[in-house]
Amino acid sequence: HGCSLHFLTSLYLLGTFLHTLTKCTMSATDFHLDGDYLIGGLFNIHYASGGLYQTKPQAIDCSSQLFSLSDHRRFQMMRFAVEQINNSTYILPNVSLGYDIFDHCSVTKNFPGILNLISVNGLIQSWFEPLKNFSRVMAVVGPFTSTDALTIAPLFMTDLIPLVSYGVGSSHLSNKIKFPSFLRTVHSNDGMIEVIVKIIVHFNWRWVAFLNSDDDYGRDGLDLFIKKIDGTDICLAYTKALNDNTNYSQIFQQIEAQKIHVVIVFAPEATSEALVETAVQVNFRNKVWIACDTWSINKRLSKMKEIRNIGTVLGVSQPVETVPGFNNFIYSTKRQTFFKNEAQNVFCNQACNCSYVTPEDIISADSSYSFTVYSAVYAIAHGLHNALQCGDGKCSDNITMFPYMVLEELKKSNFTLLNQNIQFDENGDFKSGSYSIVFWNQTGDAQEIGFYSFYPSVQFFINNTMIKWYTDGDVPTSFCSAECPIGYVQKQTGIHKCCFNCEICPNGTYINVTEDPYNCINCKDTQWSEKGSTSCDLRVVEYMPFTDSWAILIMVGAWALVGMTLSMSVLFVVNYNTPVVKSAGGPMCFLILGCLSLSSLSVFFYFGKPTVAFCILRYLPFLLFYTICLACFVVRSFQIVCIFKIAAKVPKLYSWWMKYHGQQLVITVAFITEAFLLLISYSYAAPKPYQDKVWYPDKIILDCEINPKAISCSVILPLLLCSLCFVFSYMGKDLPKNYNEAKAITFCLLLLIFTWIIFVTQYMLYRGKFILMFNALAVLSSLYSFLLWYFLPKCYIIIFQPHRNTPKYFQGLIQNYTKTISQ
């Protein structure tokens, strides 16, 4: 409390000192009115120029500075409201309301009037002497600007004197810890910026410039704008703080260079006027201008010649309310004050020096903020009404009134004024009301085209058809980069998210603009998409079903093979002792035919949905039993060569072969070895079902997964046997015709090799469901190669050429072969 006392005392002494340095004379008619309770008023009737320089501390003679007609109108509105309340028999009956108004034309050099409002008889209340010598001012209307309010508000907060502003927008003043007795009848900058952002979003503008005044009002607006566009598609392409030394032409060049088509101007009226006038002078053309409420209905600018060249002007303004009786008040008071004696000494800055202003000038001046002044005065009067317990045509005269008592009632305000509800929220901000959205039409009027209402619920509306754009057609656009086509993502270039290149999403990905416009999203494993897709489709699951025509045909072929092997077995049994059957292998023929039939079992497991059992049986029967077939043919080829070529040269080898039953031994060893290798292979990595999702982006092929290392283990022996068989059969290619099974075996092996070369080539080029059909065909072809080219000729001789199936015929062939060899 001591610090506060010293601070206030110092300010008072400073004010007193300044007061003694200045002489301000003017009739108090307009600035002062006696009453039971006083209301203070702070209006910027004049504006001290920013370049004002003083060599010694002295108060400013505001009446010598730039005159503001619109602020003078607001000043007169306060006087009118007080007179109207005093004439009322309801609000403050038997109580008169007075005022003490000051021209607050400067931020830093105009404290005498402030100190006068909070002092009594030149003294400031000390908290060591509570409620003694307390100011008669119950509340203060004003000031108008944010900087003014932030500068002087602490002086009123100390004693909780209500400071009810009619124009301050800074959101900092909503802080009730710092500014407990500050209220306002306008919405804070937060509401204004909210409307501006909604306008930008409504017209889908992304690339904007924000020009703000270099003061508390403008900087607060910029901070709020940056916060509110966070998370939206709006980019702040350019921003600049405006002051008296700003080079406006350079700003316009920079905006043009960045191809910005939307310019937001958040600055006081004087600054905005200077900016727009320069834009007209330098022919800065074809932009959308968004005006804040300080200049959105500025009549001088909107009526300027060639103002249409700068583009389209939209604005957000305080609703213009017509206050009944105000015009008559102006006419009557101006006629009185023109002829009053101006020699009476009054306090500093209570002079207008505006005798040249006519009632018509005041009435036609910018009427924005007039209603906010009117409602501020009425809010204070209603606060006094409740604090004084007024009712039944009178107010209590037994209550000692203090400003903090009025403050408590002000916070509870809830009354209707000219069909407008007047209420404050917990931060002292105006709770009710609305903003008008305006458009500067061809006649130079600020035409209302929409609104943003706060009470009783938030509503936003713009009538697009009422706007005539500078393009003479569609709504102008403002983008750093044009919208990407459907199916393309935005790849940011630079620091602004609005500046980007468009890249098409590749196969297997899609773009969801509402979810993430910057990245392609991968489809799930069970889905696919083409380039530039906005969604994924389910993959088609493919396999070779049993009902497929090709599957049926192949299975019929397998059953035909079984039938043929069975028929041949019967034929060979009937003709078992004939030379043809014996030359074909005798009892070994039945083993080969049986193994060929068992090998054909693999064919049936290439169809239907793969399971673990299907995958195992797809390869096991063929590899195991076909290995036995190859072993039989190896033995048969070796025997033929041995009889005709080796037996005579190496008789011991032949006798050993016969003694130890070489053919049974080789076949048994081959069977056991292959079974063991298959066991090892399947134990290491058995074939199992898997879904091939790589080969085709839009399909899932159901197949069996084979481990290359494991399968190579089980095919070593068949490959070895095939090689040996080929060697032995090739060695016997010149044997007697009826004994020349070697030629048939060689041909069968060549068919076998050719078949699997074709399949492997096909497998490398194609992996669809039909590869299973090709695999089954390769297996079936491997079986038919021996059946048709080895056994079928034997059956033909037995059935159709029995004369060649006699011992005599075979002996003749052998004798001819012996003669040929001996020669």
Side-chain angles (χ1 to χ4, degrees):
H1 295 101
C3 292
S4 300
L5 176 62
H6 292 310
F7 172 67
L8 293 173
T9 305
S10 300
L11 286 176
Y12 174 72
L13 294 175
L14 173 64
T16 304
F17 175 67
L18 294 175
H19 175 58
T20 60
L21 296 175
T22 309
K23 294 182 179 179
C24 304
T25 60
M26 174 62 191
S27 168
T29 304
D30 286 356
F31 287 90
H32 178 79
L33 178 68
D34 288 327
D36 297 324
Y37 297 99
L38 288 182
I39 300 178
L42 298 172
F43 292 85
N44 299 85
I45 301 174
H46 298 84
Y47 282 93
S49 61
L52 186 67
Y53 178 75
Q54 291 180 316
T55 58
K56 59 182 178 180
Q58 60 183 9
I60 298 173
D61 180 9
C62 288
S63 62
S64 64
Q65 304 301 316
L66 296 174
F67 176 71
S68 171
L69 183 60
S70 56
D71 283 280
H72 181 70
R73 175 190 169 97
R74 294 163 198 149
F75 157 71
Q76 295 292 351
M77 181 61 73
M78 176 175 174
R79 297 180 60 247
F80 167 69
V82 172
E83 180 179 290
Q84 196 175 60
I85 291 167
N86 283 336
N87 291 333
S88 168
T89 58
Y90 165 72
I91 300 178
L92 292 174
N94 76 310
V95 173
S96 62
L97 198 59
Y99 52 75
D100 225 350
I101 304 176
F102 293 91
D103 186 359
H104 193 70
C105 66
S106 171
V107 176
T108 59
K109 303 178 178 66
N110 198 5
F111 279 92
I114 308 301
L115 297 172
N116 185 67
L117 290 176
I118 62 174
S119 65
V120 175
N121 299 323
L123 296 175
I124 295 175
Q125 167 67 28
S126 169
W127 282 15
F128 291 108
E129 302 176 18
L131 309 181
K132 183 180 179 182
N133 293 328
F134 217 93
S135 171
R136 290 173 60 227
V137 173
M138 294 294 104
V140 177
V141 175
F144 180 62
T145 70
S146 296
T147 301
D148 288 346
L150 288 167
T151 303
I152 66 170
L155 301 173
F156 295 96
M157 301 301 108
T158 305
D159 290 326
L160 295 179
I161 298 174
L163 190 65
V164 186
S165 174
Y166 54 89
V168 170
S170 174
S171 60
H172 297 294
L173 288 152
S174 297
N175 186 336
K176 291 303 102 179
I177 295 176
K178 291 183 177 180
F179 306 100
S181 63
F182 178 84
L183 301 95
R184 51 184 150 200
T185 53
V186 293
H187 294 283
S188 71
N189 287 343
D190 187 80
M192 173 66 61
I193 295 297
E194 177 71 23
V195 182
I196 291 174
V197 170
K198 282 191 175 293
I199 293 173
I200 296 171
V201 171
H202 178 79
F203 292 111
N204 198 31
W205 294 319
R206 307 281 178 83
W207 195 234
V208 303
F210 193 98
L211 306 181
N212 61 283
S213 54
D214 191 12
D215 57 15
D216 295 285
Y217 172 75
R219 286 188 290 269
D220 182 59
L222 176 61
D223 292 341
L224 290 170
F225 184 75
I226 292 173
K227 290 178 183 177
K228 286 192 180 293
I229 65 173
D230 184 33
T232 70
D233 293 329
I234 303 169
C235 289
L236 181 55
Y238 179 80
T239 181
K240 183 70 174 179
L242 310 177
N243 54 45
D244 293 339
N245 300 318
T246 301
N247 186 335
Y248 296 132
S249 297
Q250 186 179 42
I251 291 175
F252 298 143
Q253 291 174 5
Q254 292 168 340
I255 291 174
E256 200 66 62
Q258 295 192 55
K259 298 180 180 179
I260 304 168
H261 298 143
V262 176
V263 181
I264 304 159
V265 181
F266 199 86
E269 186 175 35
T271 305
S272 301
E273 284 181 346
L275 176 74
V276 175
E277 286 171 353
T278 306
V280 172
Q281 291 170 8
V282 301
N283 201 26
F284 183 63
R285 305 172 66 90
N286 298 339
K287 303 295 176 188
V288 175
W289 298 76
I290 301 180
C292 64
D293 56 353
T294 56
W295 67 281
S296 57
I297 56 175
N298 185 294
K299 294 183 179 181
R300 191 173 70 82
L301 287 177
S302 62
K303 300 287 186 181
M304 277 182 63
K305 186 179 180 181
E306 299 179 341
I307 190 67
R308 302 292 162 270
N309 292 342
I310 69 171
T312 302
V313 179
L314 303 178
V316 183
S317 74
Q318 300 288 336
V320 177
E321 297 285 346
T322 301
V323 180
F326 177 69
N327 292 356
N328 294 333
F329 170 79
I330 293 298
Y331 279 114
S332 63
T333 56
K334 290 303 285 184
R335 279 195 295 269
Q336 296 170 10
T337 55
F338 284 157
F339 307 105
K340 280 188 178 281
N341 180 11
E342 299 187 0
Q344 184 180 357
N345 288 332
V346 295
F347 198 76
C348 226
N349 291 331
Q350 289 187 316
C352 182
N353 192 22
C354 53
S355 57
Y356 58 89
V357 177
T358 67
E360 289 75 15
D361 293 334
I362 299 173
I363 292 169
S364 62
D366 179 7
S367 59
S368 59
Y369 296 98
S370 293
F371 180 75
T372 60
V373 174
Y374 188 68
S375 55
V377 176
Y378 265 86
I380 295 170
H382 275 272
L384 272 170
H385 173 92
N386 294 330
L388 290 171
Q389 300 176 3
C390 298
D392 296 328
K394 63 178 181 177
C395 296
S396 174
D397 54 4
N398 296 324
I399 299 175
T400 302
M401 189 58 53
F402 297 102
Y404 73 88
M405 299 166 65
V406 179
L407 175 64
E408 288 301 315
E409 297 300 330
L410 263 173
K411 292 177 180 178
K412 303 174 187 176
S413 295
N414 187 1
F415 62 94
T416 301
L417 184 65
L418 300 183
N419 298 321
Q420 293 286 329
N421 185 261
I422 308 298
Q423 281 183 277
F424 302 98
D425 64 16
E426 64 276 6
N427 296 320
D429 295 333
F430 198 46
K431 187 176 179 180
S432 313
S434 63
Y435 280 117
S436 295
I437 300 171
V438 299
F439 157 65
W440 288 10
N441 60 24
Q442 301 301 308
T443 61
D445 295 322
Q447 179 182 359
E448 185 172 344
I449 58 167
F451 64 86
Y452 183 94
S453 64
F454 295 87
Y455 183 86
S457 62
V458 173
Q459 292 181 326
F460 174 76
F461 171 75
I462 293 181
N463 188 343
N464 296 355
T465 60
M466 298 177 70
I467 305 173
K468 183 174 177 58
W469 302 102
Y470 67 82
T471 55
D472 288 330
D474 296 334
V475 178
T477 59
S478 187
F479 300 104
C480 177
S481 300
E483 287 290 315
C484 287
I486 296 175
Y488 286 73
V489 292
Q490 303 171 6
K491 292 300 180 181
Q492 185 173 324
T493 57
I495 61 172
H496 294 291
K497 63 184 178 183
C498 296
C499 303
F500 49 80
N501 295 324
C502 297
E503 296 181 6
I504 193 168
C505 284
N507 293 334
T509 65
Y510 71 98
I511 172 71
N512 186 337
V513 177
T514 57
E515 183 178 335
D516 185 0
Y518 309 107
N519 295 291
C520 297
I521 305 170
N522 291 323
C523 295
K524 296 178 181 178
D525 287 345
T526 57
Q527 298 175 328
W528 76 285
S529 67
E530 295 181 345
K531 287 198 304 183
S533 296
T534 56
S535 63
C536 294
D537 298 319
L538 286 175
R539 290 187 178 194
V540 178
V541 178
E542 287 192 350
Y543 62 95
M544 184 67 73
F546 285 103
T547 55
D548 188 89
S549 57
W550 284 105
I552 293 172
L553 188 62
I554 292 171
M555 288 188 289
V556 168
W559 283 114
L561 184 139
V562 173
M564 290 176 68
T565 57
L566 185 60
S567 301
M568 288 179 182
S569 296
V570 172
L571 183 63
F572 281 12
V573 168
V574 173
N575 298 277
Y576 183 72
N577 293 318
T578 62
V580 170
V581 174
K582 289 181 179 180
S583 68
M588 195 182 297
C589 293
F590 302 106
L591 178 60
I592 295 173
L593 289 170
C595 286
L596 288 176
S597 295
L598 292 172
S599 295
S600 68
L601 289 174
S602 292
V603 173
F604 296 95
F605 296 101
Y606 281 94
F607 312 114
K609 285 188 177 181
T611 62
V612 174
F614 270 47
C615 289
I616 292 174
L617 294 175
R618 183 177 290 183
Y619 306 104
L620 180 62
F622 177 73
L623 288 173
L624 182 60
F625 296 112
Y626 202 72
T627 299
I628 298 173
C629 291
L630 290 174
C632 290
F633 283 111
V634 167
V635 169
R636 185 61 188 146
S637 301
F638 176 76
Q639 283 179 327
I640 294 170
V641 173
C642 187
I643 291 170
F644 286 94
K645 293 189 175 184
I646 299 177
K649 297 179 181 180
V650 190
K652 289 184 178 181
L653 177 61
Y654 180 72
S655 61
W656 182 89
W657 179 266
M658 297 302 293
K659 180 180 179 180
Y660 293 103
H661 305 285
Q663 60 180 12
Q664 290 92 339
L665 182 63
V666 171
I667 294 170
T668 303
V669 170
F671 174 74
I672 294 173
T673 303
E674 181 61 18
F676 180 70
L677 290 175
L678 283 169
L679 182 63
I680 293 174
S681 173
Y682 281 24
S683 299
Y684 176 74
K688 58 184 179 180
Y690 92 108
Q691 298 178 343
D692 186 353
K693 301 173 182 175
V694 177
W695 196 262
Y696 294 102
D698 59 336
K699 298 177 183 178
I700 297 176
I701 309 299
L702 301 184
D703 202 350
C704 292
E705 184 180 24
I706 305 172
N707 187 290
K709 293 181 179 179
I711 198 69
S712 62
C713 176
S714 58
V715 299
I716 290 175
L717 184 58
L719 291 174
L720 178 61
L721 292 174
C722 188
S723 301
L724 288 172
C725 187
F726 188 82
V727 170
F728 289 138
S729 61
Y730 184 78
M731 289 173 64
K733 66 182 184 301
D734 57 346
L735 294 178
K737 188 175 181 181
N738 273 24
Y739 276 93
N740 200 357
E741 282 84 2
K743 288 183 179 179
I745 293 172
T746 302
F747 184 71
C748 292
L749 289 172
L750 288 173
L751 283 178
L752 178 67
I753 293 169
F754 184 66
T755 296
W756 286 101
I757 288 174
I758 292 175
F759 171 73
V760 171
T761 304
Q762 185 69 38
Y763 186 78
M764 293 173 66
L765 300 175
Y766 172 75
R767 294 288 180 86
K769 69 175 183 178
F770 290 104
I771 199 66
L772 303 174
M773 179 196 74
F774 294 135
N775 201 341
L777 278 174
V779 171
L780 204 58
S781 177
S782 302
L783 302 178
Y784 269 107
S785 64
F786 284 112
L787 189 67
L788 297 179
W789 300 107
Y790 184 80
F791 288 104
L792 191 60
K794 306 293 188 286
C795 296
Y796 179 80
I797 293 173
I798 293 171
I799 297 172
F800 297 106
Q801 295 179 342
H803 65 279
R804 296 175 61 185
N805 190 17
T806 61
K808 183 179 179 180
Y809 182 79
F810 272 77
Q811 286 175 358
L813 292 173
I814 294 171
Q815 288 174 358
N816 291 333
Y817 175 74
T818 304
K819 289 178 183 180
T820 303
I821 293 298
S822 62
Q823 291 175 355

